Amino acid sequence: MSHIPVLLNEMLAALAPACGETYCDATFGGGAYTAAILQKADCALIGVDRDPEAIARGQTLAALYGDRLSLRLGAFGDLESLIAEPLDGVVMDIGVSSFQLDQGARGFSFQADGPLDMRMSQQGPRAADAVNGLTEAALVDLLRDYGEEDMARPIARAIVQERAASAIDSTAQLAAIIERAVGGRRGARTHPATKTFQALRILVNDELGELARALTAAERLLKPGGRLVVVSFHSLEDRMAKQFLAARAGLLGSGSRHIPEPPAGPPPSFVLPARKPVTPTDAECEANPRARSASLRQAVRTHAQAFPPFEAPPLSLRVVAEWREIAR
Ligand SMILES: C[S@@+](CC[C@H](N)C(=O)[O-])C[C@H]1O[C@@H](n2cnc3c(N)ncnc32)[C@H](O)[C@@H]1O
């Protein structure tokens, strides 16, 4: 089992590693980004991951690089409590690694059957707790908000009907229920369960809350001239990175020549070398289909003060309340 890094050269070009600088790889994963950065320049790097298995696997690399590489177990939303030193660059390659996806026992995939788990940190409530515990109305909200799933209603109804007979506790069982509910594969490139699995994963790992806190922390930890590189794999995360950077770069004008510009906000805390995201080449997508949905955004920190904390888009209050109750 291995993890093929996505947009690796593009990440290196955006981070531009230089001797004597210190970086954070906030999603250490299989360590491919970290190794490439450490090879590129005589720099130091702090690798963070919330998955204890990723940190354990990284010990071989840590031994190889000695003082230059420090690995820390924790969520990137807590970056400021994990890292005290000012940084010259922060890289985030958000999502799941192939190590997580390919291990049925972690419960992230409908391709490898396993328990409905999906917890990156291996702590807290599991995806099965959401599937069996949320009301039908909350499941509909969840699938719409976090899965952008058009078929949220029939899927939620089918889940509730099936779990009345017996609890849904495996990834293959849930995928089959969804397939039956929405009528097979709909001729699409992706499995009909893809969006439901995405929604559950985002909920279980509070992925959007984590990203909002991590972007805020990166803004505070980066030195002037420091680079921020964010690689995301679905539109909800990419939209958040885009909105965060547009606001921080002072690019949230009216967008129309007929409407007056709003009064000037605080000075930009980032400048954007490119407005458009970098996406993988056709050749990369062919070699690694998991790269298909990837998108890289980059920014350079200015001298200006950090903005107030960035907020994730709000989730349905019903889901928030029910999930909180389940998590108690
Ligand atoms: C796509 S993989 C990163 C792969 C890595 N760039 C490489 O080259 O091997 C994403 C990793 O980020 C970790 N992760 C996701 N969300 C996290 C969070 N909020 N805090 C810390 N780690 C997180 C996952 O556990 C996973 O190992």
Side-chain angles (χ1 to χ4, degrees), residues 3-6 8 11 25-35 48-52 54-55 57 72-79 82 91-100 106 108 119-121 201 205-207 209-211 213-214 231 233 237:
H3 178 90
I4 308 171
V6 173
L8 180 67
M11 177 281 292
D25 178 352
T27 51
F28 177 78
Y33 271 21
T34 288
V48 170
D49 205 294
R50 75 195 306 190
D51 185 342
I55 297 297
R57 212 179 305 112
R72 301 184 190 168
L73 176 65
F76 57 49
D78 300 327
L79 216 54
L82 294 166
V91 176
M92 295 179 217
D93 176 19
I94 328 163
V96 278
S97 68
S98 303
F99 294 102
Q100 293 163 331
R106 300 297 302 270
F108 284 103
R119 297 166 308 160
M120 291 182 193
S121 64
R201 212 191 77 196
N205 298 290
D206 184 21
E207 290 184 28
E210 276 293 310
L211 178 57
R213 290 187 290 277
V231 176
F233 289 84
E237 284 171 345

Side-chain angles (χ1 to χ4, degrees), residues 220-261:
R220 293 181 180 155
L221 287 166
L222 281 169
K223 297 179 194 169
R227 283 81 69 199
L228 174 63
V229 186
V230 182
V231 176
S232 59
F233 289 84
H234 58 73
S235 54
L236 290 173
E237 284 171 345
D238 182 53
R239 206 175 301 142
M240 277 181 68
K242 178 180 173 182
Q243 285 169 355
F244 169 83
L245 291 177
R248 267 51 182 174
L251 299 174
L252 291 184
S254 68
S256 161
R257 63 196 163 88
H258 304 295
I259 302 170
E261 285 291 318

Side-chain angles (χ1 to χ4, degrees), residues 23-43:
Y23 307 111
C24 168
D25 178 352
T27 51
F28 177 78
Y33 271 21
T34 288
I37 294 165
L38 290 169
Q39 273 161 28
K40 192 85 184 168
D42 187 9
C43 55

Side-chain angles (χ1 to χ4, degrees), residues 16-286:
C19 293
E21 294 200 329
T22 303
Y23 307 111
C24 168
D25 178 352
T27 51
F28 177 78
Y33 271 21
T34 288
I37 294 165
L38 290 169
Q39 273 161 28
K40 192 85 184 168
D42 187 9
C43 55
L45 188 144
I46 302 159
V48 170
D49 205 294
R50 75 195 306 190
D51 185 342
E53 287 182 18
I55 297 297
R57 212 179 305 112
Q59 295 311 318
T60 320
L61 200 63
L64 201 66
Y65 282 99
D67 285 353
R68 292 179 58 204
L69 173 59
S70 149
L71 292 183
R72 301 184 190 168
L73 176 65
F76 57 49
D78 300 327
L79 216 54
E80 281 178 288
S81 58
L82 294 166
I83 297 178
E85 47 271 66
L87 298 169
D88 298 287
V90 174
V91 176
M92 295 179 217
D93 176 19
I94 328 163
V96 278
S97 68
S98 303
F99 294 102
Q100 293 163 331
L101 215 48
D102 295 343
Q103 255 187 79
R106 300 297 302 270
F108 284 103
S109 167
F110 39 80
Q111 258 126 23
D113 189 22
L116 255 183
D117 190 312
M118 300 196 194
R119 297 166 308 160
M120 291 182 193
S121 64
Q122 306 188 1
Q123 284 175 356
R126 300 167 163 81
D129 297 313
V131 168
N132 295 297
L134 293 176
T135 59
E136 183 172 336
L139 283 169
V140 172
D141 287 355
L142 173 70
L143 300 188
R144 280 199 188 135
D145 286 5
Y146 281 2
E148 300 183 305
E149 173 57 86
D150 299 336
M151 308 293 272
R153 273 189 192 287
I155 293 175
R157 196 174 316 126
I159 288 174
V160 169
Q161 274 165 8
E162 295 276 345
R163 75 186 188 196
S166 68
I168 302 166
D169 48 26
S170 93
T171 56
Q173 191 187 356
L174 178 60
I177 291 167
I178 296 167
E179 209 163 345
R180 282 198 298 276
V182 301
R185 286 171 190 268
R186 293 187 281 177
R189 272 199 316 177
T190 52
H191 190 283
T194 305
K195 292 178 171 182
T196 301
F197 273 62
Q198 173 188 306
L200 287 167
R201 212 191 77 196
I202 295 177
L203 177 72
V204 167
N205 298 290
D206 184 21
E207 290 184 28
L208 302 187
E210 276 293 310
L211 178 57
R213 290 187 290 277
L215 291 169
T216 300
E219 182 184 26
R220 293 181 180 155
L221 287 166
L222 281 169
K223 297 179 194 169
R227 283 81 69 199
L228 174 63
V229 186
V230 182
V231 176
S232 59
F233 289 84
H234 58 73
S235 54
L236 290 173
E237 284 171 345
D238 182 53
R239 206 175 301 142
M240 277 181 68
K242 178 180 173 182
Q243 285 169 355
F244 169 83
L245 291 177
R248 267 51 182 174
L251 299 174
L252 291 184
S254 68
S256 161
R257 63 196 163 88
H258 304 295
I259 302 170
E261 285 291 318
S269 58
F270 282 103
V271 287
L272 310 188
R275 296 279 291 265
K276 291 227 174 297
V278 179
T279 52
T281 59
D282 290 346
E284 178 168 6
C285 294
E286 212 159 290

Side-chain angles (χ1 to χ4, degrees), residues 284-309:
E284 178 168 6
C285 294
E286 212 159 290
N288 179 13
R290 280 179 191 168
R292 271 194 319 232
S293 54
S295 143
L296 179 153
R297 293 191 184 267
Q298 53 186 302
V300 180
R301 187 73 172 87
T302 67
H303 281 87
Q305 245 189 345
F307 282 45

